[in-house]
Amino acid sequence: MSRASNEREAYNLLLNVEAGVNIGKLTPGMDLFVFTDNMVSERCFHSGRSWSRSMHALILKMHGLIMKGDAFVHFIWIAGEGMKNQGTDGLSQGDKRTRVMAVNNFLSHVPLDESAFERHLPLKDWLRDTLPGEEWVVLEEEGWYKTAYKNPEGKFIWAPAPCVAYICLEQMCEVCHIHPNCSHVFVCPAIVTINWRKQLAKQSDSM
């Protein structure tokens, strides 16, 4: 995608947030979730800067609007196919009879609460068959805080939902620090990666 295209899409997002602030829809304390298939906009928003002067100006203005509206804005990248299935592309072209416009649940197209194992059922068995050894333990939420700390040489599979991946990763890092001889596999859909991917890269031997 060209730089000009990235800037145009970022500008469209800015206009929508600005409109929300001006007409009072973006009220103090509100959480606003902005889903976009433009990864550049997501990364620039969270870093607060861009090498492109024009993009940098847009990002600064966006943060200024958020401060003015006193709201919490979450920029989240989703795949373009997800936006097509949800109906955003069609709606922009005047299609008002399908997808979410036909009372299709919007949140079903942004599965922030579904782990990789929930989204693709065969994945759990495939991992167990592929990984060396037979002692691999798939950790549920309770196991993040209990099971993982009990075995100093354990082999664990961490598979959080994207919305809590950063919490799960923090616990995995703690276990790595306490039990350096443990082995870990971290599996998560590539959503909300801005909250956990960088830390995972620092902790991992390979990604």
Side-chain angles (χ1 to χ4, degrees), residues 80-118:
E81 285 299 317
M83 295 192 71
K84 291 179 183 178
N85 294 333
Q86 175 265 332
T88 300
D89 283 356
L91 181 61
S92 67
Q93 299 171 19
D95 182 2
K96 299 180 180 180
R97 297 183 179 181
T98 59
R99 311 299 183 180
V100 292
M101 297 304 292
V103 200
N104 191 340
N105 186 0
F106 186 96
L107 294 179
S108 66
H109 299 281
V110 282
L112 303 180
D113 61 335
E114 294 183 4
S115 69
F117 293 157
E118 291 172 319

Side-chain angles (χ1 to χ4, degrees), residues 197-204 207:
R197 187 179 180 89
K198 186 175 181 180
Q199 185 179 3
L200 179 63
K202 292 179 179 179
Q203 187 67 35
S204 302
M207 287 182 64

Side-chain angles (χ1 to χ4, degrees), residues 9 36 61 72 83 86 117-118 135 140 175 187 207:
E9 292 194 21
T36 174
K61 187 172 182 180
F72 301 95
M83 295 192 71
Q86 175 265 332
F117 293 157
E118 291 172 319
E135 305 84 9
E140 302 295 338
V175 174
V187 185
M207 287 182 64

Side-chain angles (χ1 to χ4, degrees), residues 13-62:
L13 295 173
L14 173 65
L15 289 178
N16 282 281
V17 175
E18 187 174 29
V21 172
N22 292 337
I23 66 178
K25 283 191 174 181
L26 198 59
T27 57
M30 174 183 287
D31 280 282
L32 173 64
F33 290 83
V34 180
F35 294 94
T36 174
D37 61 349
N38 190 326
M39 187 175 292
V40 173
S41 295
E42 181 202 41
R43 298 291 172 85
C44 290
F45 174 81
H46 286 283
S47 67
R49 62 187 185 277
S50 172
W51 291 108
S52 166
R53 288 187 177 183
S54 52
M55 177 68 85
H56 185 71
L58 290 174
I59 297 301
L60 290 180
K61 187 172 182 180
M62 177 74 77

